[in-house]
């Protein structure tokens, strides 16, 4: 039972344009959501997070939107850069815990 | 500040054997968690330890076990290996148990079971 779903396994975007990565969840008890980025042969690195009491959080080029009624969140990267090419994982947790439920990831490729 | 260190980075085992993986967290971090990454399943939670106590356990069989030492270093063990245990095993640390979910991951131990 996949509680966190990333339905697009891959996404290709031109440099300078917007990248939108999507994530859906089924567990209404999730109240904290995170995005991680992973390069080959490296561990995932934390990118941005959002609490369920908010619907938007920004950090530089990265913005995460949360739609609780739709159980949907998205990560916007503007403008996209070739260095953003990586696998992006959406994750969720119930309460304050290090037990994260991850999606299966979306591979983003930013081309010149 | 050194990051999360996992050893060994790569290992090959045969079915039925057992394996022990080691993780040294970032200095000062007391919480360690383990995840299994496979191509079809993404990252799946295995365990979470804080101050030598297991706080959470994922939905894995009893062949998967772990522990944490007084210096916060952690080990996980998989006994009676199966082909499906082939995966990247990732260790992550955080300063406090359940701080904000912002985990610092190591590069992983890639296990191949033949």
């Amino acid at each position: 039972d996949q509680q966190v779903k990333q339905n697009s396994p891959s996404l290709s975007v031109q440099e300078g344009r917007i990248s939108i990565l999507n994530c859906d969840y089924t567990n209404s008890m999730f109240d904290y959501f995170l995005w991680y980025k992973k390069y080959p042969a490296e561990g995932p690195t934390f990118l941005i997070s959002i609490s369920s009491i908010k619907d938007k959080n920004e950090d530089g080029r990265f913005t995460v939107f949360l739609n609780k009624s739709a159980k949907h969140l998205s990560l916007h990267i503007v403008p996209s850069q070739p260095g953003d090419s990586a696998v992006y994982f959406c994750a969720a947790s119930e309460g304050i815990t290090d037990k994260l439920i991850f999606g299966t990831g979306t591979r983003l490729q930013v081309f010149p | 500040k050194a990051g999360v260190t996992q050893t060994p980075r790569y290992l090959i085992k045969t079915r039925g054997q057992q394996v022990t993986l080691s993780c040294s967290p970032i200095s000062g971090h007391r919480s360690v968690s383990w995840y299994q990454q496979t191509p079809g399943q993404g990252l799946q939670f295995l365990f979470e330890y804080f101050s030598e106590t297991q706080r959470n356990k994922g939905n894995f069989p009893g062949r998967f076990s772990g522990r944490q030492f007084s210096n916060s270093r952690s080990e996980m063990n998989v006994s009676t290996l199966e082909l499906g245990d082939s995966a990247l095993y990732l260790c992550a640390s955080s300063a406090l148990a359940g701080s904000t979910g912002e985990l610092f991951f190591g590069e992983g131990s890639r296990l191949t079971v033949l």
Side-chain angles (χ1 to χ4, degrees), chain A residues 2 32 34 36 38 41-46 89 96-104, chain B residues 31 35 37 40-41 43 45 48 56 90 94 96 98-103 105-107:
Chain A
Q2 196 74 26
Y32 200 75
L34 309 94
Y36 280 79
K38 186 178 186 300
E42 294 183 11
T45 55
F46 171 77
F89 290 96
I96 303 299
T97 173
D98 286 353
K99 178 181 178 180
L100 301 182
I101 307 302
F102 282 86
T104 51
Chain B
S31 182
Y35 290 81
Q37 184 185 8
Q41 298 293 321
L43 281 79
F45 173 79
E48 176 190 355
N56 270 306
L90 291 159
S94 65
L96 298 172
S99 45
T100 59
E102 181 180 339
L103 306 178
F105 283 87
E107 294 177 321

Side-chain angles (χ1 to χ4, degrees), chain B residues 9-107:
Chain B
R9 291 291 313 280
Y10 302 92
L11 65 167
I12 299 174
K13 294 284 187 178
T14 56
R15 280 180 298 175
Q17 287 187 308
Q18 66 96 26
V19 65
T20 299
L21 309 177
S22 180
C23 172
S24 293
I26 291 173
S27 177
H29 283 192
R30 297 172 61 193
S31 182
V32 173
S33 50
W34 289 87
Y35 290 81
Q36 180 196 64
Q37 184 185 8
T38 55
Q41 298 293 321
L43 281 79
Q44 292 186 287
F45 173 79
L46 280 156
F47 326 99
E48 176 190 355
Y49 288 92
F50 181 78
S51 293
E52 303 177 68
T53 300
Q54 187 179 90
R55 280 169 43 93
N56 270 306
K57 188 178 191 301
N59 188 25
F60 279 82
R63 300 185 297 108
F64 291 80
S65 62
R67 59 178 175 169
Q68 186 182 32
F69 302 97
S70 58
N71 61 359
S72 295
R73 193 176 68 84
S74 177
E75 288 181 349
M76 67 163 283
N77 183 277
V78 188
S79 62
T80 319
L81 284 166
E82 301 177 358
L83 296 178
D85 297 333
S86 294
L88 180 68
Y89 290 88
L90 291 159
C91 171
S93 74
S94 65
L96 298 172
S99 45
T100 59
E102 181 180 339
L103 306 178
F104 295 84
F105 283 87
E107 294 177 321

